[in-house]
Each structure stands twice: as structure tokens, then as C-alpha cells.
mmCIF file of all heavy atoms in Angstrom:
data_model
loop_
_atom_site.group_PDB
_atom_site.id
_atom_site.type_symbol
_atom_site.label_atom_id
_atom_site.label_comp_id
_atom_site.label_asym_id
_atom_site.label_seq_id
_atom_site.Cartn_x
_atom_site.Cartn_y
_atom_site.Cartn_z
ATOM 1 N N LEU A 191 -125.168 10.791 32.789
ATOM 2 C CA LEU A 191 -124.789 12.191 32.635
ATOM 3 C C LEU A 191 -123.594 12.462 33.538
ATOM 4 O O LEU A 191 -123.685 12.339 34.760
ATOM 5 C CB LEU A 191 -125.947 13.122 33.005
ATOM 6 C CG LEU A 191 -125.602 14.622 32.957
ATOM 7 C CD1 LEU A 191 -125.360 15.079 31.521
ATOM 8 C CD2 LEU A 191 -126.689 15.453 33.616
ATOM 9 N N LEU A 192 -122.471 12.804 32.936
ATOM 10 C CA LEU A 192 -121.254 13.124 33.679
ATOM 11 C C LEU A 192 -121.070 14.644 33.715
ATOM 12 O O LEU A 192 -121.196 15.308 32.686
ATOM 13 C CB LEU A 192 -120.038 12.479 33.016
ATOM 14 C CG LEU A 192 -120.070 10.950 32.890
ATOM 15 C CD1 LEU A 192 -118.888 10.473 32.042
ATOM 16 C CD2 LEU A 192 -120.052 10.296 34.259
ATOM 17 N N PHE A 193 -120.782 15.176 34.894
ATOM 18 C CA PHE A 193 -120.589 16.625 35.000
ATOM 19 C C PHE A 193 -119.607 16.927 36.125
ATOM 20 O O PHE A 193 -119.367 16.101 37.018
ATOM 21 C CB PHE A 193 -121.916 17.359 35.228
ATOM 22 C CG PHE A 193 -122.671 16.936 36.459
ATOM 23 C CD1 PHE A 193 -122.531 17.626 37.654
ATOM 24 C CD2 PHE A 193 -123.543 15.852 36.436
ATOM 25 C CE1 PHE A 193 -123.230 17.248 38.792
ATOM 26 C CE2 PHE A 193 -124.258 15.466 37.550
ATOM 27 C CZ PHE A 193 -124.100 16.164 38.742
ATOM 28 N N ASN A 194 -119.030 18.112 36.059
ATOM 29 C CA ASN A 194 -118.102 18.558 37.084
ATOM 30 C C ASN A 194 -118.766 19.609 37.961
ATOM 31 O O ASN A 194 -119.723 20.266 37.566
ATOM 32 C CB ASN A 194 -116.807 19.096 36.464
ATOM 33 C CG ASN A 194 -117.057 20.158 35.411
ATOM 34 O OD1 ASN A 194 -118.026 20.092 34.660
ATOM 35 N ND2 ASN A 194 -116.174 21.152 35.339
ATOM 36 N N ILE A 195 -118.240 19.744 39.178
ATOM 37 C CA ILE A 195 -118.743 20.740 40.121
ATOM 38 C C ILE A 195 -117.903 22.003 39.973
ATOM 39 O O ILE A 195 -116.667 21.957 40.002
ATOM 40 C CB ILE A 195 -118.689 20.218 41.567
ATOM 41 C CG1 ILE A 195 -119.597 18.992 41.714
ATOM 42 C CG2 ILE A 195 -119.102 21.306 42.556
ATOM 43 C CD1 ILE A 195 -121.065 19.253 41.447
ATOM 44 N N LEU A 196 -118.586 23.121 39.830
ATOM 45 C CA LEU A 196 -117.900 24.381 39.550
ATOM 46 C C LEU A 196 -117.587 25.179 40.804
ATOM 47 O O LEU A 196 -116.553 25.852 40.879
ATOM 48 C CB LEU A 196 -118.751 25.237 38.606
ATOM 49 C CG LEU A 196 -119.141 24.585 37.284
ATOM 50 C CD1 LEU A 196 -120.085 25.489 36.507
ATOM 51 C CD2 LEU A 196 -117.903 24.264 36.455
ATOM 52 N N ASP A 197 -118.473 25.117 41.786
ATOM 53 C CA ASP A 197 -118.295 25.961 42.977
ATOM 54 C C ASP A 197 -119.268 25.481 44.052
ATOM 55 O O ASP A 197 -120.108 24.607 43.801
ATOM 56 C CB ASP A 197 -118.563 27.426 42.629
ATOM 57 C CG ASP A 197 -117.821 28.390 43.553
ATOM 58 O OD1 ASP A 197 -117.312 27.937 44.598
ATOM 59 O OD2 ASP A 197 -117.770 29.588 43.237
ATOM 60 N N THR A 198 -119.140 26.067 45.237
ATOM 61 C CA THR A 198 -120.050 25.720 46.333
ATOM 62 C C THR A 198 -120.466 26.978 47.079
ATOM 63 O O THR A 198 -119.752 27.990 47.076
ATOM 64 C CB THR A 198 -119.384 24.768 47.349
ATOM 65 O OG1 THR A 198 -118.338 25.451 48.020
ATOM 66 C CG2 THR A 198 -118.842 23.526 46.681
ATOM 67 N N THR A 199 -121.606 26.886 47.707
ATOM 68 C CA THR A 199 -122.013 27.858 48.728
ATOM 69 C C THR A 199 -122.139 27.089 50.029
ATOM 70 O O THR A 199 -122.840 26.077 50.094
ATOM 71 C CB THR A 199 -123.366 28.512 48.391
ATOM 72 O OG1 THR A 199 -123.210 29.343 47.242
ATOM 73 C CG2 THR A 199 -123.864 29.356 49.546
ATOM 74 N N ARG A 200 -121.435 27.554 51.061
ATOM 75 C CA ARG A 200 -121.445 26.858 52.350
ATOM 76 C C ARG A 200 -122.050 27.769 53.406
ATOM 77 O O ARG A 200 -121.723 28.953 53.469
ATOM 78 C CB ARG A 200 -120.027 26.449 52.746
ATOM 79 C CG ARG A 200 -119.437 25.411 51.821
ATOM 80 C CD ARG A 200 -117.984 25.115 52.094
ATOM 81 N NE ARG A 200 -117.763 24.699 53.466
ATOM 82 C CZ ARG A 200 -116.707 23.975 53.853
ATOM 83 N NH1 ARG A 200 -115.812 23.581 52.952
ATOM 84 N NH2 ARG A 200 -116.531 23.642 55.108
ATOM 85 N N PHE A 201 -122.909 27.214 54.210
ATOM 86 C CA PHE A 201 -123.550 27.972 55.277
ATOM 87 C C PHE A 201 -122.747 27.777 56.570
ATOM 88 O O PHE A 201 -123.229 27.247 57.563
ATOM 89 C CB PHE A 201 -125.005 27.539 55.431
ATOM 90 C CG PHE A 201 -125.834 27.884 54.229
ATOM 91 C CD1 PHE A 201 -125.919 27.013 53.151
ATOM 92 C CD2 PHE A 201 -126.481 29.094 54.146
ATOM 93 C CE1 PHE A 201 -126.662 27.342 52.030
ATOM 94 C CE2 PHE A 201 -127.225 29.440 53.020
ATOM 95 C CZ PHE A 201 -127.310 28.559 51.968
ATOM 96 N N ASP A 202 -121.489 28.198 56.496
ATOM 97 C CA ASP A 202 -120.587 28.112 57.633
ATOM 98 C C ASP A 202 -120.426 29.491 58.255
ATOM 99 O O ASP A 202 -120.721 30.527 57.640
ATOM 100 C CB ASP A 202 -119.221 27.584 57.203
ATOM 101 C CG ASP A 202 -119.248 26.081 56.973
ATOM 102 O OD1 ASP A 202 -120.211 25.440 57.427
ATOM 103 O OD2 ASP A 202 -118.315 25.562 56.332
ATOM 104 N N THR A 203 -119.899 29.522 59.474
ATOM 105 C CA THR A 203 -119.708 30.789 60.183
ATOM 106 C C THR A 203 -118.231 31.081 60.334
ATOM 107 O O THR A 203 -117.393 30.175 60.414
ATOM 108 C CB THR A 203 -120.337 30.722 61.583
ATOM 109 O OG1 THR A 203 -119.745 29.643 62.303
ATOM 110 C CG2 THR A 203 -121.828 30.498 61.491
ATOM 111 N N HIS A 204 -117.913 32.341 60.369
ATOM 112 C CA HIS A 204 -116.567 32.756 60.733
ATOM 113 C C HIS A 204 -116.445 32.740 62.259
ATOM 114 O O HIS A 204 -117.449 32.680 62.975
ATOM 115 C CB HIS A 204 -116.272 34.150 60.192
ATOM 116 C CG HIS A 204 -116.361 34.238 58.695
ATOM 117 N ND1 HIS A 204 -115.481 33.590 57.866
ATOM 118 C CD2 HIS A 204 -117.231 34.888 57.882
ATOM 119 C CE1 HIS A 204 -115.800 33.833 56.603
ATOM 120 N NE2 HIS A 204 -116.866 34.622 56.591
ATOM 121 N N ALA A 205 -115.241 32.787 62.754
ATOM 122 C CA ALA A 205 -115.037 32.797 64.210
ATOM 123 C C ALA A 205 -115.709 34.030 64.813
ATOM 124 O O ALA A 205 -115.568 35.156 64.305
ATOM 125 C CB ALA A 205 -113.546 32.793 64.521
ATOM 126 N N LEU A 206 -116.452 33.803 65.881
ATOM 127 C CA LEU A 206 -117.148 34.902 66.548
ATOM 128 C C LEU A 206 -116.310 35.422 67.707
ATOM 129 O O LEU A 206 -115.551 34.664 68.336
ATOM 130 C CB LEU A 206 -118.506 34.429 67.075
ATOM 131 C CG LEU A 206 -119.519 33.975 66.028
ATOM 132 C CD1 LEU A 206 -120.780 33.470 66.705
ATOM 133 C CD2 LEU A 206 -119.851 35.111 65.072
ATOM 134 N N PRO A 207 -116.445 36.714 68.041
ATOM 135 C CA PRO A 207 -115.701 37.255 69.196
ATOM 136 C C PRO A 207 -116.236 36.658 70.500
ATOM 137 O O PRO A 207 -117.387 36.230 70.581
ATOM 138 C CB PRO A 207 -115.974 38.754 69.110
ATOM 139 C CG PRO A 207 -117.275 38.865 68.378
ATOM 140 C CD PRO A 207 -117.278 37.724 67.403
ATOM 141 N N GLU A 208 -115.381 36.619 71.524
ATOM 142 C CA GLU A 208 -115.825 36.109 72.819
ATOM 143 C C GLU A 208 -116.847 37.041 73.453
ATOM 144 O O GLU A 208 -117.750 36.607 74.164
ATOM 145 C CB GLU A 208 -114.632 35.918 73.753
ATOM 146 C CG GLU A 208 -113.692 34.794 73.309
ATOM 147 C CD GLU A 208 -112.617 34.525 74.340
ATOM 148 O OE1 GLU A 208 -112.727 35.042 75.479
ATOM 149 O OE2 GLU A 208 -111.655 33.796 74.008
ATOM 150 N N THR A 209 -116.676 38.332 73.219
ATOM 151 C CA THR A 209 -117.650 39.326 73.694
ATOM 152 C C THR A 209 -117.938 40.301 72.563
ATOM 153 O O THR A 209 -117.115 40.472 71.652
ATOM 154 C CB THR A 209 -117.115 40.109 74.910
ATOM 155 O OG1 THR A 209 -115.906 40.783 74.533
ATOM 156 C CG2 THR A 209 -116.866 39.170 76.087
ATOM 157 N N LEU A 210 -119.096 40.938 72.608
ATOM 158 C CA LEU A 210 -119.482 41.901 71.582
ATOM 159 C C LEU A 210 -118.961 43.288 71.932
ATOM 160 O O LEU A 210 -118.737 43.604 73.123
ATOM 161 C CB LEU A 210 -121.004 41.944 71.448
ATOM 162 C CG LEU A 210 -121.702 40.683 70.945
ATOM 163 C CD1 LEU A 210 -123.205 40.918 70.838
ATOM 164 C CD2 LEU A 210 -121.147 40.248 69.601
ATOM 165 N N PRO A 211 -118.753 44.135 70.926
ATOM 166 C CA PRO A 211 -118.385 45.530 71.220
ATOM 167 C C PRO A 211 -119.432 46.184 72.119
ATOM 168 O O PRO A 211 -120.622 45.858 72.071
ATOM 169 C CB PRO A 211 -118.363 46.181 69.826
ATOM 170 C CG PRO A 211 -118.149 45.039 68.885
ATOM 171 C CD PRO A 211 -118.820 43.857 69.498
ATOM 172 N N GLU A 212 -118.976 47.114 72.957
ATOM 173 C CA GLU A 212 -119.883 47.747 73.927
ATOM 174 C C GLU A 212 -121.024 48.493 73.266
ATOM 175 O O GLU A 212 -122.111 48.610 73.830
ATOM 176 C CB GLU A 212 -119.081 48.704 74.827
ATOM 177 C CG GLU A 212 -118.136 47.985 75.769
ATOM 178 C CD GLU A 212 -117.444 48.954 76.706
ATOM 179 O OE1 GLU A 212 -117.749 50.169 76.649
ATOM 180 O OE2 GLU A 212 -116.592 48.508 77.490
ATOM 181 N N ASP A 213 -120.797 49.008 72.050
ATOM 182 C CA ASP A 213 -121.850 49.791 71.393
ATOM 183 C C ASP A 213 -122.795 48.934 70.559
ATOM 184 O O ASP A 213 -123.604 49.453 69.782
ATOM 185 C CB ASP A 213 -121.227 50.880 70.506
ATOM 186 C CG ASP A 213 -120.333 50.283 69.413
ATOM 187 O OD1 ASP A 213 -120.013 49.067 69.490
ATOM 188 O OD2 ASP A 213 -119.958 51.030 68.485
ATOM 189 N N SER A 214 -122.741 47.593 70.697
ATOM 190 C CA SER A 214 -123.634 46.710 69.931
ATOM 191 C C SER A 214 -125.077 46.959 70.341
ATOM 192 O O SER A 214 -125.383 47.217 71.513
ATOM 193 C CB SER A 214 -123.284 45.247 70.180
ATOM 194 O OG SER A 214 -121.997 44.947 69.694
ATOM 195 N N HIS A 215 -125.949 46.867 69.396
ATOM 196 C CA HIS A 215 -127.373 47.068 69.669
ATOM 197 C C HIS A 215 -127.862 46.004 70.648
ATOM 198 O O HIS A 215 -127.382 44.868 70.676
ATOM 199 C CB HIS A 215 -128.176 46.984 68.366
ATOM 200 C CG HIS A 215 -129.574 47.496 68.491
ATOM 201 N ND1 HIS A 215 -130.590 46.760 69.053
ATOM 202 C CD2 HIS A 215 -130.122 48.696 68.129
ATOM 203 C CE1 HIS A 215 -131.703 47.459 69.018
ATOM 204 N NE2 HIS A 215 -131.445 48.647 68.457
ATOM 205 N N GLU A 216 -128.838 46.380 71.455
ATOM 206 C CA GLU A 216 -129.364 45.489 72.489
ATOM 207 C C GLU A 216 -129.869 44.173 71.916
ATOM 208 O O GLU A 216 -129.664 43.098 72.499
ATOM 209 C CB GLU A 216 -130.504 46.196 73.234
ATOM 210 C CG GLU A 216 -131.131 45.337 74.326
ATOM 211 C CD GLU A 216 -132.316 46.039 74.979
ATOM 212 O OE1 GLU A 216 -132.656 47.162 74.538
ATOM 213 O OE2 GLU A 216 -132.899 45.461 75.908
ATOM 214 N N LEU A 217 -130.532 44.226 70.752
ATOM 215 C CA LEU A 217 -131.066 42.989 70.160
ATOM 216 C C LEU A 217 -129.944 42.057 69.707
ATOM 217 O O LEU A 217 -130.079 40.830 69.789
ATOM 218 C CB LEU A 217 -131.982 43.324 68.981
ATOM 219 C CG LEU A 217 -133.341 43.934 69.335
ATOM 220 C CD1 LEU A 217 -134.103 44.299 68.068
ATOM 221 C CD2 LEU A 217 -134.157 42.953 70.170
ATOM 222 N N ILE A 218 -128.839 42.613 69.214
ATOM 223 C CA ILE A 218 -127.698 41.779 68.832
ATOM 224 C C ILE A 218 -127.107 41.123 70.069
ATOM 225 O O ILE A 218 -126.730 39.943 70.056
ATOM 226 C CB ILE A 218 -126.642 42.601 68.074
ATOM 227 C CG1 ILE A 218 -127.243 43.172 66.770
ATOM 228 C CG2 ILE A 218 -125.414 41.750 67.750
ATOM 229 C CD1 ILE A 218 -126.283 44.050 65.976
#
């Protein structure tokens, strides 16, 4: 069975800030 790949889903992260905004919730 020959088939082509149409798309992907990747569980990658975007660049995170070095520090969080001051108003971020305590749990975050």
C-alpha cells in the first residue's frame, strides 16, 4: 500500500518568555 502524507500535528512549543507578566495567575 503506497500513500502520501498530507499533514502533521506536532507537540512542539513556541518560545516562552524569560519572565511572566506581573498579572499572571499564581498557579501559572
Side-chain angles (χ1 to χ4, degrees):
L191 176 68
L192 301 172
F193 58 95
N194 53 324
I195 297 298
L196 304 175
D197 206 347
T198 67
T199 292
R200 294 173 56 157
F201 294 87
D202 283 344
T203 58
H204 300 293
L206 297 177
E208 292 187 12
T209 60
L210 295 182
E212 291 184 3
D213 60 348
S214 295
H215 194 281
E216 179 184 2
L217 288 176
I218 298 178

